[in-house]
């Protein structure tokens, strides 16, 4: 549902978490780009934990600009802190909530 709203914003060379595009498609495009164009450098960025530490209030405010349905916003707010169960213990993701207190 959100992909219908945001899909048009993605660039053609974007492959992460997009329908019909996977890591092999990205590698194929990279291979073609490297061999057909003059490339001076390649950047590889690791964004591990980026989404774990985003300020939840900022995320919600950002989404509210494009999503008018308050039920969807409420559901996303719950997804942000739902947490995970590891070894039988549930841990909520509060990192994004803590950042707003600073």
């Amino acid at each position: 549902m959100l992909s219908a709203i945001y899909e048009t914003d993605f660039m053609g060379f974007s492959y992460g978490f997009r329908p019909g595009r996977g890591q092999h498609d990205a590698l194929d495009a990279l291979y073609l780009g490297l061999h057909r164009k003059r490339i001076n450098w390649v950047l590889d960025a690791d964004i591990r934990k980026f989404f774990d530490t985003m300020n939840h209030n900022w995320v919600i405010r950002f989404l509210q600009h494009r999503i008018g349905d308050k039920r969807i916003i409420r559901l996303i707010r719950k997804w942000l802190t739902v947490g995970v169960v590891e070894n039988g213990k549930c841990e909520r993701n509060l990192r994004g909530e803590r950042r707003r207190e600073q």
Side-chain angles (χ1 to χ4, degrees):
M1 173 175 41
L2 292 179
S3 59
I5 295 170
Y6 288 101
E7 184 66 26
T8 59
D9 293 343
F10 287 108
M11 300 290 193
F13 54 80
S14 176
Y15 288 86
F17 302 102
R18 293 186 62 201
R21 294 179 174 220
Q23 68 271 23
H24 296 290
D25 300 315
L27 290 172
D28 289 343
L30 179 62
Y31 177 83
L32 288 173
L34 290 172
H35 286 89
R36 290 187 180 168
K37 299 182 186 233
R38 184 176 172 172
I39 303 293
N40 294 325
W41 53 273
V42 174
L43 173 67
D44 179 27
D46 183 358
I47 60 168
R48 183 180 333 180
K49 302 289 183 183
F50 173 76
F51 294 104
D52 293 347
T53 58
M54 288 176 59
N55 182 302
H56 294 168
N57 287 333
W58 180 89
V59 171
I60 294 299
R61 284 194 352 233
F62 179 80
L63 292 171
Q64 285 172 331
H65 285 284
R66 300 278 293 273
I67 302 168
D69 190 336
K70 292 180 181 184
R71 296 170 299 176
I72 299 297
I73 297 295
R74 187 170 53 244
L75 182 60
I76 292 170
R77 190 182 306 273
K78 289 180 180 182
W79 283 339
L80 288 172
T81 58
V82 71
V84 294
V85 175
E86 291 186 38
N87 299 322
K89 183 180 176 187
C90 181
E91 288 195 32
R92 290 182 58 211
N93 175 17
L94 300 175
R95 281 182 249 165
E97 288 183 331
R98 285 190 204 131
R99 289 188 71 191
R100 72 177 165 182
E101 296 169 3
Q102 295 176 356

